[in-house]
């Protein structure tokens, strides 16, 4: 399902390039879970951003299902993020002008797959049903995180 092959990535910095990932590889089967651990600054978010096509590798190959992410252009990567991959960011990136219900539905709406019954089910499972009319700034950190999880 997910395959990361010999991926390397450096950020270009003033004092020279900063290598973050060197020859990183992993495989993840359908239905499997994986926890990626490592000290702060070790490259976990960088790897997730590369897998989601938010940034591009210097070398190596990433496949998500049938898609070769590292071979996609901007439009293909945007489609992958809209239709295939959900991310919960460290800062939750909720849309401040939308209420909880609209934030929860946001990605499904973009993908043209909004299902109101599933949205209600999701809100219930995440304990967000009483909060659907609130705005992100009116939520606790954990509540904001659950909205981000539901959206993903
Ligand atoms: N846009 C950027 N430009 C330059 N350097 C960056 C950039 N983003 C991240 N870095 C650097 O790359 C390294 C890896 O960062 P990354 O965000 O992948 O770490 P992380 O493992 O997710 O850390 P944390 O556990 O603190 O979230 C860090 O040294 C960071 O300072
Ligand atoms: Mg991180």
């Amino acid at each position: 399902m997910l395959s990361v092959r010999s991926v390397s990535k450096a950020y270009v910095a003033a004092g020279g390039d900063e290598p973050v990932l060197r020859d990183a590889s992993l495989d993840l089967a359908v239905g499997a879970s994986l926890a990626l651990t490592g000290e702060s600054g070790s490259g976990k978010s960088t790897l997730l951003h590369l897998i989601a096509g938010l940034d591009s590798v210097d070398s190596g190959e990433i496949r998500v299902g049938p898609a070769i992410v590292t071979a996609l252009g901007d439009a293909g990567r945007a489609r992958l993020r809209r239709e295939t991959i959900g991310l919960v960011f460290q800062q939750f990136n909720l849309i401040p002008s939308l209420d909880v219900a609209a934030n929860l539905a946001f990605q499904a709406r973009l993908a043209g797959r909004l299902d109101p019954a599933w949205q209600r089910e999701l809100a219930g499972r995440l304990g967000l049903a009483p909060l659907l009319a609130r705005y992100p700034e009116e939520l606790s950190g954990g509540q904001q995180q659950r909205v981000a999880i539901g959206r993903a």
Side-chain angles (χ1 to χ4, degrees), residues 85-112:
I85 289 195
L87 276 188
V88 178
F89 293 92
Q90 281 187 287
Q91 46 325 6
F92 302 122
N93 294 339
L94 300 178
I95 298 169
S97 58
L98 297 180
D99 64 16
V100 167
N103 268 286
L104 265 182
F106 191 75
Q107 193 163 353
R109 198 166 264 150
L110 280 186

mmCIF file of all heavy atoms in Angstrom, residues 85-112:
data_model
loop_
_atom_site.group_PDB
_atom_site.id
_atom_site.type_symbol
_atom_site.label_atom_id
_atom_site.label_comp_id
_atom_site.label_asym_id
_atom_site.label_seq_id
_atom_site.Cartn_x
_atom_site.Cartn_y
_atom_site.Cartn_z
ATOM 1 N N ILE A 85 -5.173 10.766 0.616
ATOM 2 C CA ILE A 85 -4.397 10.874 1.856
ATOM 3 C C ILE A 85 -5.011 11.903 2.781
ATOM 4 O O ILE A 85 -5.356 12.992 2.342
ATOM 5 C CB ILE A 85 -2.938 11.286 1.537
ATOM 6 C CG1 ILE A 85 -2.229 10.115 0.871
ATOM 7 C CG2 ILE A 85 -2.218 11.733 2.777
ATOM 8 C CD1 ILE A 85 -0.735 10.258 0.830
ATOM 9 N N GLY A 86 -5.164 11.548 4.045
ATOM 10 C CA GLY A 86 -5.569 12.519 5.053
ATOM 11 C C GLY A 86 -4.440 12.725 6.034
ATOM 12 O O GLY A 86 -3.781 11.771 6.429
ATOM 13 N N LEU A 87 -4.218 13.955 6.432
ATOM 14 C CA LEU A 87 -3.144 14.251 7.372
ATOM 15 C C LEU A 87 -3.704 15.014 8.561
ATOM 16 O O LEU A 87 -4.562 15.870 8.391
ATOM 17 C CB LEU A 87 -2.102 15.172 6.727
ATOM 18 C CG LEU A 87 -0.997 14.579 5.864
ATOM 19 C CD1 LEU A 87 0.001 15.691 5.523
ATOM 20 C CD2 LEU A 87 -0.273 13.469 6.579
ATOM 21 N N VAL A 88 -3.232 14.673 9.755
ATOM 22 C CA VAL A 88 -3.493 15.499 10.935
ATOM 23 C C VAL A 88 -2.208 16.264 11.195
ATOM 24 O O VAL A 88 -1.188 15.658 11.527
ATOM 25 C CB VAL A 88 -3.855 14.634 12.150
ATOM 26 C CG1 VAL A 88 -4.069 15.512 13.372
ATOM 27 C CG2 VAL A 88 -5.076 13.802 11.859
ATOM 28 N N PHE A 89 -2.219 17.563 11.037
ATOM 29 C CA PHE A 89 -1.004 18.340 11.193
ATOM 30 C C PHE A 89 -0.736 18.607 12.665
ATOM 31 O O PHE A 89 -1.630 18.527 13.501
ATOM 32 C CB PHE A 89 -1.138 19.670 10.444
ATOM 33 C CG PHE A 89 -1.199 19.493 8.958
ATOM 34 C CD1 PHE A 89 -2.415 19.367 8.312
ATOM 35 C CD2 PHE A 89 -0.031 19.419 8.206
ATOM 36 C CE1 PHE A 89 -2.467 19.190 6.940
ATOM 37 C CE2 PHE A 89 -0.081 19.236 6.842
ATOM 38 C CZ PHE A 89 -1.304 19.114 6.206
ATOM 39 N N GLN A 90 0.531 18.935 12.986
ATOM 40 C CA GLN A 90 0.851 19.256 14.381
ATOM 41 C C GLN A 90 0.103 20.501 14.818
ATOM 42 O O GLN A 90 -0.412 20.574 15.916
ATOM 43 C CB GLN A 90 2.361 19.440 14.535
ATOM 44 C CG GLN A 90 3.083 18.094 14.618
ATOM 45 C CD GLN A 90 4.543 18.254 14.933
ATOM 46 O OE1 GLN A 90 5.296 18.668 14.079
ATOM 47 N NE2 GLN A 90 4.930 17.949 16.135
ATOM 48 N N GLN A 91 0.056 21.512 13.935
ATOM 49 C CA GLN A 91 -0.871 22.602 14.176
ATOM 50 C C GLN A 91 -2.075 22.217 13.328
ATOM 51 O O GLN A 91 -1.920 21.840 12.184
ATOM 52 C CB GLN A 91 -0.329 23.986 13.906
ATOM 53 C CG GLN A 91 0.465 24.420 12.692
ATOM 54 C CD GLN A 91 1.432 23.472 12.024
ATOM 55 O OE1 GLN A 91 1.547 22.303 12.344
ATOM 56 N NE2 GLN A 91 2.109 23.972 11.050
ATOM 57 N N PHE A 92 -3.244 22.226 13.874
ATOM 58 C CA PHE A 92 -4.318 21.443 13.267
ATOM 59 C C PHE A 92 -4.846 22.033 11.961
ATOM 60 O O PHE A 92 -5.539 21.368 11.216
ATOM 61 C CB PHE A 92 -5.440 21.227 14.289
ATOM 62 C CG PHE A 92 -4.921 20.547 15.519
ATOM 63 C CD1 PHE A 92 -5.045 21.125 16.761
ATOM 64 C CD2 PHE A 92 -4.267 19.329 15.413
ATOM 65 C CE1 PHE A 92 -4.531 20.502 17.895
ATOM 66 C CE2 PHE A 92 -3.745 18.702 16.535
ATOM 67 C CZ PHE A 92 -3.884 19.282 17.777
ATOM 68 N N ASN A 93 -4.472 23.285 11.659
ATOM 69 C CA ASN A 93 -4.879 23.894 10.387
ATOM 70 C C ASN A 93 -6.383 23.819 10.156
ATOM 71 O O ASN A 93 -6.833 23.599 9.035
ATOM 72 C CB ASN A 93 -4.140 23.262 9.199
ATOM 73 C CG ASN A 93 -2.651 23.556 9.221
ATOM 74 O OD1 ASN A 93 -2.231 24.517 9.857
ATOM 75 N ND2 ASN A 93 -1.868 22.760 8.539
ATOM 76 N N LEU A 94 -7.161 23.979 11.212
ATOM 77 C CA LEU A 94 -8.602 24.101 11.010
ATOM 78 C C LEU A 94 -8.864 25.474 10.396
ATOM 79 O O LEU A 94 -8.058 26.392 10.526
ATOM 80 C CB LEU A 94 -9.344 23.966 12.348
ATOM 81 C CG LEU A 94 -9.124 22.634 13.058
ATOM 82 C CD1 LEU A 94 -9.862 22.616 14.393
ATOM 83 C CD2 LEU A 94 -9.545 21.468 12.189
ATOM 84 N N ILE A 95 -9.987 25.588 9.710
ATOM 85 C CA ILE A 95 -10.299 26.861 9.052
ATOM 86 C C ILE A 95 -11.093 27.713 10.033
ATOM 87 O O ILE A 95 -12.200 27.344 10.444
ATOM 88 C CB ILE A 95 -11.064 26.596 7.749
ATOM 89 C CG1 ILE A 95 -10.141 25.787 6.830
ATOM 90 C CG2 ILE A 95 -11.484 27.911 7.093
ATOM 91 C CD1 ILE A 95 -10.794 25.215 5.632
ATOM 92 N N PRO A 96 -10.492 28.848 10.486
ATOM 93 C CA PRO A 96 -11.073 29.588 11.599
ATOM 94 C C PRO A 96 -12.458 30.164 11.301
ATOM 95 O O PRO A 96 -13.246 30.342 12.223
ATOM 96 C CB PRO A 96 -10.066 30.720 11.856
ATOM 97 C CG PRO A 96 -9.130 30.735 10.714
ATOM 98 C CD PRO A 96 -9.230 29.431 9.996
ATOM 99 N N SER A 97 -12.738 30.420 10.021
ATOM 100 C CA SER A 97 -14.030 31.040 9.679
ATOM 101 C C SER A 97 -15.134 30.009 9.489
ATOM 102 O O SER A 97 -16.280 30.376 9.232
ATOM 103 C CB SER A 97 -13.883 31.867 8.402
ATOM 104 O OG SER A 97 -13.431 31.034 7.350
ATOM 105 N N LEU A 98 -14.813 28.720 9.600
ATOM 106 C CA LEU A 98 -15.832 27.671 9.454
ATOM 107 C C LEU A 98 -16.108 27.026 10.792
ATOM 108 O O LEU A 98 -15.189 26.831 11.591
ATOM 109 C CB LEU A 98 -15.357 26.588 8.475
ATOM 110 C CG LEU A 98 -15.103 27.006 7.020
ATOM 111 C CD1 LEU A 98 -14.641 25.806 6.198
ATOM 112 C CD2 LEU A 98 -16.360 27.625 6.415
ATOM 113 N N ASP A 99 -17.358 26.657 11.028
ATOM 114 C CA ASP A 99 -17.673 25.982 12.287
ATOM 115 C C ASP A 99 -17.199 24.526 12.230
ATOM 116 O O ASP A 99 -16.676 24.055 11.210
ATOM 117 C CB ASP A 99 -19.162 26.107 12.634
ATOM 118 C CG ASP A 99 -20.083 25.411 11.640
ATOM 119 O OD1 ASP A 99 -19.615 24.574 10.845
ATOM 120 O OD2 ASP A 99 -21.297 25.714 11.670
ATOM 121 N N VAL A 100 -17.370 23.814 13.341
ATOM 122 C CA VAL A 100 -16.861 22.447 13.443
ATOM 123 C C VAL A 100 -17.459 21.559 12.352
ATOM 124 O O VAL A 100 -16.754 20.787 11.700
ATOM 125 C CB VAL A 100 -17.142 21.869 14.848
ATOM 126 C CG1 VAL A 100 -16.912 20.364 14.894
ATOM 127 C CG2 VAL A 100 -16.275 22.577 15.888
ATOM 128 N N ALA A 101 -18.770 21.679 12.124
ATOM 129 C CA ALA A 101 -19.413 20.830 11.113
ATOM 130 C C ALA A 101 -18.789 21.056 9.739
ATOM 131 O O ALA A 101 -18.494 20.095 9.012
ATOM 132 C CB ALA A 101 -20.918 21.125 11.061
ATOM 133 N N ALA A 102 -18.562 22.330 9.391
ATOM 134 C CA ALA A 102 -18.005 22.638 8.067
ATOM 135 C C ALA A 102 -16.538 22.235 7.970
ATOM 136 O O ALA A 102 -16.068 21.788 6.922
ATOM 137 C CB ALA A 102 -18.181 24.120 7.762
ATOM 138 N N ASN A 103 -15.791 22.374 9.087
ATOM 139 C CA ASN A 103 -14.406 21.898 9.080
ATOM 140 C C ASN A 103 -14.356 20.387 8.898
ATOM 141 O O ASN A 103 -13.550 19.870 8.122
ATOM 142 C CB ASN A 103 -13.701 22.294 10.382
ATOM 143 C CG ASN A 103 -12.978 23.630 10.276
ATOM 144 O OD1 ASN A 103 -11.930 23.739 9.645
ATOM 145 N ND2 ASN A 103 -13.565 24.647 10.890
ATOM 146 N N LEU A 104 -15.235 19.674 9.612
ATOM 147 C CA LEU A 104 -15.269 18.205 9.515
ATOM 148 C C LEU A 104 -15.565 17.752 8.086
ATOM 149 O O LEU A 104 -15.020 16.761 7.612
ATOM 150 C CB LEU A 104 -16.388 17.660 10.409
ATOM 151 C CG LEU A 104 -16.069 17.192 11.807
ATOM 152 C CD1 LEU A 104 -17.346 16.652 12.445
ATOM 153 C CD2 LEU A 104 -14.976 16.156 11.819
ATOM 154 N N ALA A 105 -16.444 18.491 7.410
ATOM 155 C CA ALA A 105 -16.912 18.079 6.084
ATOM 156 C C ALA A 105 -15.992 18.561 4.970
ATOM 157 O O ALA A 105 -16.180 18.189 3.809
ATOM 158 C CB ALA A 105 -18.320 18.637 5.848
ATOM 159 N N PHE A 106 -14.988 19.358 5.330
ATOM 160 C CA PHE A 106 -14.260 20.120 4.319
ATOM 161 C C PHE A 106 -13.630 19.236 3.241
ATOM 162 O O PHE A 106 -13.813 19.445 2.041
ATOM 163 C CB PHE A 106 -13.179 20.974 5.000
ATOM 164 C CG PHE A 106 -12.556 21.987 4.092
ATOM 165 C CD1 PHE A 106 -13.245 23.134 3.739
ATOM 166 C CD2 PHE A 106 -11.292 21.781 3.574
ATOM 167 C CE1 PHE A 106 -12.675 24.064 2.886
ATOM 168 C CE2 PHE A 106 -10.723 22.715 2.721
ATOM 169 C CZ PHE A 106 -11.410 23.849 2.383
ATOM 170 N N GLN A 107 -12.875 18.225 3.674
ATOM 171 C CA GLN A 107 -12.149 17.414 2.694
ATOM 172 C C GLN A 107 -13.112 16.576 1.850
ATOM 173 O O GLN A 107 -12.938 16.445 0.635
ATOM 174 C CB GLN A 107 -11.126 16.525 3.404
ATOM 175 C CG GLN A 107 -10.124 15.890 2.458
ATOM 176 C CD GLN A 107 -8.895 15.375 3.184
ATOM 177 O OE1 GLN A 107 -8.716 15.600 4.376
ATOM 178 N NE2 GLN A 107 -8.045 14.662 2.483
ATOM 179 N N ALA A 108 -14.127 16.015 2.490
ATOM 180 C CA ALA A 108 -15.116 15.218 1.749
ATOM 181 C C ALA A 108 -15.822 16.080 0.709
ATOM 182 O O ALA A 108 -16.085 15.642 -0.410
ATOM 183 C CB ALA A 108 -16.126 14.616 2.722
ATOM 184 N N ARG A 109 -16.109 17.325 1.085
ATOM 185 C CA ARG A 109 -16.787 18.238 0.164
ATOM 186 C C ARG A 109 -15.902 18.529 -1.056
ATOM 187 O O ARG A 109 -16.355 18.490 -2.192
ATOM 188 C CB ARG A 109 -17.105 19.528 0.922
ATOM 189 C CG ARG A 109 -18.151 20.382 0.255
ATOM 190 C CD ARG A 109 -18.663 21.443 1.221
ATOM 191 N NE ARG A 109 -19.883 21.042 1.886
ATOM 192 C CZ ARG A 109 -20.249 21.432 3.098
ATOM 193 N NH1 ARG A 109 -19.466 22.200 3.808
ATOM 194 N NH2 ARG A 109 -21.383 21.018 3.610
ATOM 195 N N LEU A 110 -14.619 18.795 -0.796
ATOM 196 C CA LEU A 110 -13.688 19.047 -1.912
ATOM 197 C C LEU A 110 -13.610 17.848 -2.840
ATOM 198 O O LEU A 110 -13.505 17.992 -4.054
ATOM 199 C CB LEU A 110 -12.276 19.311 -1.375
ATOM 200 C CG LEU A 110 -11.939 20.686 -0.844
ATOM 201 C CD1 LEU A 110 -10.454 20.736 -0.503
ATOM 202 C CD2 LEU A 110 -12.273 21.755 -1.849
ATOM 203 N N ALA A 111 -13.652 16.648 -2.243
ATOM 204 C CA ALA A 111 -13.520 15.427 -3.043
ATOM 205 C C ALA A 111 -14.849 15.030 -3.685
ATOM 206 O O ALA A 111 -14.907 14.037 -4.414
ATOM 207 C CB ALA A 111 -12.989 14.288 -2.177
ATOM 208 N N GLY A 112 -15.913 15.785 -3.404
ATOM 209 C CA GLY A 112 -17.215 15.454 -3.975
ATOM 210 C C GLY A 112 -17.816 14.192 -3.392
ATOM 211 O O GLY A 112 -18.557 13.480 -4.068
#
